[in-house]
């Protein structure tokens, strides 16, 4: 990145330091408040409803619970962000682990509350929610009651909750710290994961190949550990699903996303059906552009010869995204601008830093923080636009409070992908030549294929792994076979997959941290394609309706949120609409062949 300084976040808005007196006080206060809440309300919610003043009394209890969630969320967010900035630091590792244990212990005292709410009589609760006080929390209460069929007896729920630290949480952490510690030898340099992955975007084919080979070697050297982590977490999920009564391996994710299984199945079927018209066709074109019969797997995201070679500085990236946001809505740009002005972004690549990018919502009483590994590629600018989309969404939704601000993943990815689309359109409008326009179009198509085709292939991989794990452990070889099968199906005959590629499943963090998360990207991309098509034909009020949708947070179902735009994700042909946008861009690229 040269000499330009990249911003590092200031976590002082949460706490000044791990040993901060304010943090210690918050933990002590939260522990006392949790004990007091348990003593005051446990076993008494039904009686409160029967007493006739259930609406007011129950509302007060929900407010106490909500307030505690904000305090606990602030503490654990601080520990998570501090850890993400350097997962290799032993002091941060210990602090993060200790905080997880303390938060789990405190929150276990509050576990009774949602469980007991779900045992309340439906008629009595519905009557109590007719009042404005408890009625405010109706979206949260109704969402909570969707989990009622899968709820276990209180002591079992507490056991699951407390053992998460030494179970799933510990394996998650092992994966993170192992990935952070991996080193890859590329052309005489020793690199961590992020810079090595970044070389797959390099204009020099030799660098791409050497990086790919180094990734494959190191993943293979560590594949036994990643196989164990994958098998253990898949079994852990199977146990939870079986006890709770989830039928399908992905049903718990669908419930968390507040999306119906048949809607996701329709998305998956539409994308897989479109593989030949999308990824297969595009990669065959790209092979021709690069003068090859077939692309090696390390050429898949290679830049086109006409793609601008310069490193995009941080100031330019900031200006590009904020201008694109501002052209759509000055208010959106104002919110995004705060992330730069107030130290809410951590951008540099550093030893020990968590891979990838995210926007952490923290809690409504604070604000989100964005983590990037910015290296000046055009894709890094799009990643910035993506995460700022999340950030703006999270800021707007904060008015809903700690219980109702969180948004299902499917809708959360809509905001981020829409932010990318705004930025892409601005860059496309500024393209100085047909050659650069083609390069931008190709880069966008590749991003869309990575977001839609690749993520659905990931989802197919996960489904097969979790289904087979129910019959017994999977070997490293079997995981590689499944991985190669779904990759061949999705990428098509124009991509040549070398044997070492069979271990590349190992580094995908979503498989570990959030099983079946991946389809949310495809859901969001296809939805945004349809939404953007409405925007291009819409009246002046579209931006306000869009920001209102984001501000709703988790208070509305996707059907209700999309209604003002005339869209419905449950309609059979909805996904085809979004996929045709990608197909149209590929058509445009095909029409440009020989004319640039």
């Amino acid at each position: 990145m040269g000499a330009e300084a990249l911003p590092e976040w200031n976590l002082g808005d949460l706490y000044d330091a791990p040993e901060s007196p304010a943090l210690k006080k918050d933990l002590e206060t939260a522990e006392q408040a949790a004990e007091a809440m348990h003593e005051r309300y446990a076993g008494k919610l039904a009686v409160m409803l029967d007493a006739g003043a259930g609406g007011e009394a129950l509302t007060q209890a929900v407010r106490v619970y909500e307030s505690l969630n904000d305090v606990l969320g602030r503490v654990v967010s601080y520990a998570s962000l501090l850890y993400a900035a350097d997962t290799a630091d032993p002091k941060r590792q210990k602090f993060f682990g200790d905080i997880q244990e303390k938060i789990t212990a405190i929150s276990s005292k509050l576990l009774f509350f949602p469980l007991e709410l779900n045992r309340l009589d439906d008629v009595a609760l519905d009557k109590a929610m007719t009042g404005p006080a408890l009625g405010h929390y109706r979206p949260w209460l109704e969402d909570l009651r969707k989990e009622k069929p899968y709820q276990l007896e209180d002591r079992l729920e507490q056991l699951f909750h407390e053992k998460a630290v030494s179970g799933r949480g510990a394996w998650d952490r092992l994966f993170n710290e192992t990935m952070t510690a991996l080193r890859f030898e590329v052309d005489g340099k020793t690199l961590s994961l992020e810079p090595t992955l970044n070389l797959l975007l390099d204009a020099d084919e030799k660098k791409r190949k050497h990086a790919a080979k180094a990734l494959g070697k190191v993943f293979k050297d560590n594949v036994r550990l990643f196989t164990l982590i994958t098998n253990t977490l898949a079994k852990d999920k199977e146990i939870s699903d079986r006890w709770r009564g989830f039928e399908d391996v992905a049903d718990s994710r669908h419930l968390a996303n507040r999306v119906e299984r048949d809607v996701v199945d329709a998305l998956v079927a539409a994308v897989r059906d479109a593989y030949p018209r999308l990824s297969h066709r595009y990669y065959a074109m790209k092979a021709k552009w690069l003068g090859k019969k077939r692309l090696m797997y390390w050429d898949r995201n290679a830049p086109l010869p006409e793609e601008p070679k310069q490193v995009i500085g941080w100031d330019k990236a900031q200006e590009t995204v904020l201008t694109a946001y501002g052209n759509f809505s000055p208010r959106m740009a104002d919110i995004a601008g705060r992330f730069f002005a107030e130290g809410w972004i951590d951008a540099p690549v550093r030893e020990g830093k968590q891979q990838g990018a995210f926007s952490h919502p923290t809690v409504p009483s604070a604000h989100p923080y964005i983590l990037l590994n910015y290296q000046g590629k055009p894709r890094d600018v799009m990643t910035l636009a993506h995460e700022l989309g999340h950030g703006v969404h999270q800021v707007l939704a904060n008015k809903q409070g700690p219980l109702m601000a969180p948004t299902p993943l499917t809708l959360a990815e809509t905001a981020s992908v829409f932010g990318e689309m705004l930025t892409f359109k601005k860059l496309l409008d500024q393209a100085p030549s047909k050659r650069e326009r083609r390069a931008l179009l190709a880069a966008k198509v590749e991003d869309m294929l990575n977001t839609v085709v690749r993520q659905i292939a990931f989802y197919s991989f996960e489904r097969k792994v979790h289904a087979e794990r129910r019959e017994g452990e999977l070997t490293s070889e079997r995981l590689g076979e499944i991985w190669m099968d779904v990759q061949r199906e999705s990428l098509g005959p124009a991509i040549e997959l070398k044997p070492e590629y069979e271990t590349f499943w190992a580094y995908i963090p979503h498989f570990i941290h959030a099983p079946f998360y991946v389809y949310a990207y495809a859901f969001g991309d296809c939805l945004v394609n349809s939404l953007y098509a409405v925007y291009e034909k819409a009246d002046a009020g579209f931006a306000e309706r869009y920001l209102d949708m984001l501000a709703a947070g988790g208070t509305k179902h996707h059907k209700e949120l999309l209604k003002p735009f005339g869209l419905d994700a449950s309609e059979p042909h909805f996904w085809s609409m979004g996929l045709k946008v990608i197909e149209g861009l590929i058509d445009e690229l095909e029409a440009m062949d020989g004319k640039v």
Side-chain angles (χ1 to χ4, degrees):
M1 277 300 298
E4 185 182 35
L6 294 173
E8 299 185 25
W9 56 30
N10 171 20
L11 300 180
D13 290 346
L14 297 173
Y15 298 101
D16 291 334
E19 57 277 6
S20 161
L23 189 152
K24 183 180 179 183
K25 183 181 178 183
D26 277 352
L27 278 173
E28 290 172 352
T29 303
E31 185 171 15
Q32 293 164 5
E35 288 173 355
M37 184 172 183
H38 191 278
E39 186 176 340
R40 182 176 180 185
Y41 294 115
K44 300 169 186 173
L45 299 189
V47 176
M48 287 163 53
L49 269 184
D50 291 342
E56 290 299 324
L58 204 54
T59 301
Q60 181 55 37
V62 172
R63 286 173 180 155
V64 173
Y65 180 76
E66 181 175 45
S67 176
L68 272 165
N69 268 270
D70 193 86
V71 175
L72 295 174
R74 177 181 285 263
V75 174
V76 79
S77 294
Y78 176 70
S80 298
L81 293 170
L82 199 70
Y83 173 67
D86 188 354
T87 63
D89 181 353
K91 290 182 179 178
R92 296 190 189 206
Q93 292 171 357
K94 174 177 166 49
F95 177 67
F96 178 58
D98 288 348
I99 289 296
Q100 278 189 309
E101 290 182 16
K102 288 174 184 175
I103 295 297
T104 300
I106 294 170
S107 58
S108 68
K109 295 169 186 171
L110 302 172
L111 193 60
F112 80 91
F113 191 65
L115 299 176
E116 200 169 320
L117 281 173
N118 269 351
R119 289 198 296 270
L120 294 176
D121 178 74
D122 288 337
V123 175
L125 182 61
D126 200 58
K127 183 179 177 183
M129 286 192 294
T130 58
L134 194 61
H136 169 74
Y137 292 100
R138 179 184 283 274
W140 177 70
L141 289 164
E142 289 182 344
D143 261 0
L144 186 65
R145 290 177 89 72
K146 289 173 184 172
E147 299 177 8
K148 186 176 179 178
Y150 311 102
Q151 187 171 299
L152 303 175
E153 182 268 324
D154 286 15
R155 293 280 290 172
L156 278 174
E157 289 287 359
Q158 187 168 356
L159 179 64
F160 271 46
H161 182 72
E162 292 191 18
K163 282 187 73 66
V165 174
S166 58
R168 168 166 288 280
W171 290 98
D172 279 0
R173 184 173 158 187
L174 175 62
F175 174 85
N176 282 343
E177 293 179 11
T178 301
M179 274 296 164
T180 298
L182 294 183
R183 291 297 177 266
F184 306 85
E185 298 294 328
V186 186
D187 296 335
K189 294 181 181 178
T190 302
L191 304 173
S192 59
L193 180 62
E194 281 292 341
T196 310
L197 289 171
N198 190 55
L199 287 174
L200 297 179
L201 306 175
D202 200 277
D204 185 336
E205 183 178 355
K206 285 185 179 178
K207 287 183 180 179
R208 296 196 303 271
K209 179 180 178 179
H210 294 166
K213 295 286 187 181
L215 288 164
K217 179 183 182 304
V218 174
F219 294 155
K220 186 174 182 179
D221 290 345
N222 292 272
V223 75
R224 285 178 59 194
L225 175 58
F226 293 125
T227 299
L228 177 60
I229 293 172
T230 299
N231 272 296
T232 302
L233 288 174
K235 183 61 179 178
D236 180 84
K237 187 177 186 304
E238 184 275 326
I239 293 168
S240 296
D241 285 353
R242 176 161 38 87
W243 276 80
R244 294 189 181 283
F246 288 111
E247 292 179 7
D248 185 77
V249 291
D251 275 352
S252 59
R253 175 61 63 196
H254 302 333
L255 177 65
N257 283 346
R258 302 299 182 251
V259 63
E260 300 76 17
R261 189 202 298 175
D262 59 348
V263 171
V264 178
D265 288 348
L267 164 66
V268 173
V271 174
R272 291 183 68 184
D273 182 65
Y275 284 169
R277 304 191 303 277
L278 301 179
S279 47
H280 297 188
R281 180 162 67 116
Y282 175 77
Y283 291 128
M285 286 168 52
K286 184 169 184 176
K288 186 170 68 172
W289 296 338
L290 296 180
K292 298 171 178 286
K293 289 184 177 179
R294 298 178 77 196
L295 294 173
M296 294 298 173
Y297 72 87
W298 53 77
D299 296 326
R300 187 171 56 83
N301 289 320
L304 296 183
E306 58 264 36
E307 187 170 309
K309 302 285 193 301
Q310 81 274 16
V311 172
I312 301 168
W314 180 253
D315 289 344
K316 180 64 176 175
Q318 175 180 339
E319 179 197 359
T320 300
V321 178
L322 290 184
T323 304
Y325 277 27
N327 290 342
F328 174 72
S329 163
R331 183 178 168 215
M332 191 171 169
D334 287 345
I335 296 170
R338 295 182 64 192
F339 283 79
F340 298 95
E342 300 183 32
W344 300 354
I345 302 177
D346 193 275
V349 177
R350 287 192 305 271
E351 287 287 319
K353 185 175 176 179
Q354 184 172 318
Q355 69 184 89
F358 63 70
S359 180
H360 192 309
T362 74
V363 287
S365 62
H367 55 76
Y369 282 94
I370 287 175
L371 178 142
L372 303 169
N373 280 276
Y374 189 83
Q375 298 178 77
K377 302 280 187 184
R379 278 187 172 87
D380 292 333
V381 179
M382 300 305 286
T383 299
L384 173 62
H386 180 102
E387 299 306 337
L388 279 171
H390 280 308
V392 169
H393 190 183
Q394 290 157 355
V395 169
L396 287 168
N398 276 348
K399 71 174 188 179
Q400 302 296 346
L403 298 181
M404 295 185 291
T407 308
L409 296 175
T410 42
L411 294 168
E413 291 304 336
T414 299
S416 54
V417 176
F418 195 84
E420 279 190 72
M421 182 66 88
L422 291 172
T423 305
F424 164 68
K425 290 289 186 178
K426 173 176 168 47
L427 291 170
L428 196 63
D429 289 343
Q430 293 177 341
S433 68
K434 285 185 178 180
R435 287 176 63 82
E436 290 208 17
R437 181 179 176 85
R438 183 175 81 162
L440 285 167
L441 277 170
K444 182 58 179 172
V445 166
E446 290 184 18
D447 283 341
M448 286 175 151
L449 295 179
N450 285 334
T451 305
V452 177
V453 168
R454 190 161 168 79
Q455 300 304 324
I456 293 302
F458 285 177
Y459 178 70
S460 298
F461 171 77
E462 283 189 281
R463 288 196 62 84
K464 291 182 179 183
V465 168
H466 282 262
E468 285 197 22
R469 183 63 183 89
R470 291 184 171 189
E471 306 303 319
E473 286 201 9
L474 286 82
T475 64
S476 303
E477 289 74 19
R478 180 57 188 147
L479 287 165
E481 287 171 4
I482 298 172
W483 173 255
M484 295 294 265
D485 285 346
V486 298
Q487 293 300 306
R488 287 190 190 99
E489 180 198 20
S490 63
L491 299 176
I495 301 277
E496 185 171 340
L497 302 176
K498 292 293 188 180
E500 70 273 4
Y501 189 68
E502 67 185 12
T503 59
F504 272 57
W505 57 268
Y507 84 93
I508 309 298
H510 296 85
F511 296 161
I512 304 302
H513 304 317
F516 303 108
Y517 182 117
V518 288
Y519 75 74
Y521 289 112
F523 190 111
D525 198 281
C526 288
L527 197 158
V528 164
N529 289 341
S530 300
L531 195 62
Y532 202 87
V534 173
Y535 164 54
E536 290 185 311
K537 301 171 187 173
D539 56 31
F542 181 94
E544 288 70 29
R545 293 200 304 277
Y546 174 75
L547 294 180
D548 286 345
M549 179 181 81
L550 301 189
T555 64
K556 294 180 181 179
H557 185 265
H558 63 79
K559 207 173 183 82
E560 191 180 356
L561 284 171
L562 294 176
K563 192 174 182 180
F565 306 98
L567 299 172
D568 185 349
S570 63
E571 288 183 356
H573 302 298
F574 176 82
W575 301 115
S576 298
M577 291 166 46
L579 294 169
K580 279 178 181 171
V581 172
I582 308 175
E583 205 171 337
L585 294 178
I586 298 173
D587 289 344
E588 185 177 346
L589 283 166
E590 204 166 43
M592 295 172 78
D593 257 7
K595 299 177 183 178
V596 295

